[in-house]
Amino acid sequence: MMRHRVLVSWSSGKDSAWMLHTLRQRDDVDIVGLVTTVNATFGRVAMHGVRNELVQAQADAAGIPWWPIPLPWPCSNAEYEAIMGGVIERAVAESVTRFAFGDLFLEDIRAYRERQLAGTGIEPWFPIWGTREQMPQLAETMLAAGFRATLTCVDPKQLSPSFVGREWNADLLAALPPSVDRCGENGEFHTFCHTGPMFAHPIRVQPGEIVERDGFWFADLLPLAAENWPSGDAGGGV
């Protein structure tokens, strides 16, 4: 059986985590690294606002090398594409054959990724691709598998800021307006996944400051020191 050396696009959120879990069910995949674009000025994941140290904790819990990709702030599209070109060069040098993305159903995003990888020798891969109509069931499947996440960013033009900092769980899904995708694929919200079967142990975090910045609302998640875990707790989410 041919084995693929795969890079995983890692946002720190639940969709990336679900994709990783899905890939680990296969016998033909070797995962080379988790690739995350981060704001070099603030030391956080672009758009999600998650601290770099928490993403490193995810990579450690998954047992996979983290490839942080620092981006300047602000960052033009030309700068972004030049930086990502360097990432692809590194991937080719390390014999990567596929770059996996956790996109769910947005055709324009998929087409963009396919254009960026065209001619590189690396195949764009969309392991959890589906349809808009399948998203409610996908959300339920993730929760049933033990996935837990926290909303770290909310677009107030699509969802009330009161949702930022809340747990992505059955109660939250029930409270979402009908116009909002249950997986947030339209950018309504972004998450940090702290618990799931792809991790050797949960990443325990605690909520910090909630702020409005650049038209979005962010909840700052902080690592919770082991001495502050409840008695008998082996780690987990907020």
Side-chain angles (χ1 to χ4, degrees), residues 167-185:
E167 285 294 283
W168 184 79
N169 55 26
D171 289 341
L172 182 134
L173 294 182
L176 289 175
S179 61
V180 172
D181 180 69
R182 272 35 189 170
C183 291
E185 180 69 348

Side-chain angles (χ1 to χ4, degrees), residues 10-14 16-17 36 45 48 50 55 58 191-194:
W10 186 261
S11 68
S12 79
K14 58 179 176 43
S16 293
T36 310
V45 179
H48 288 235
V50 173
V55 188
Q58 289 179 317
T191 63
F192 173 78
C193 184
H194 52 70

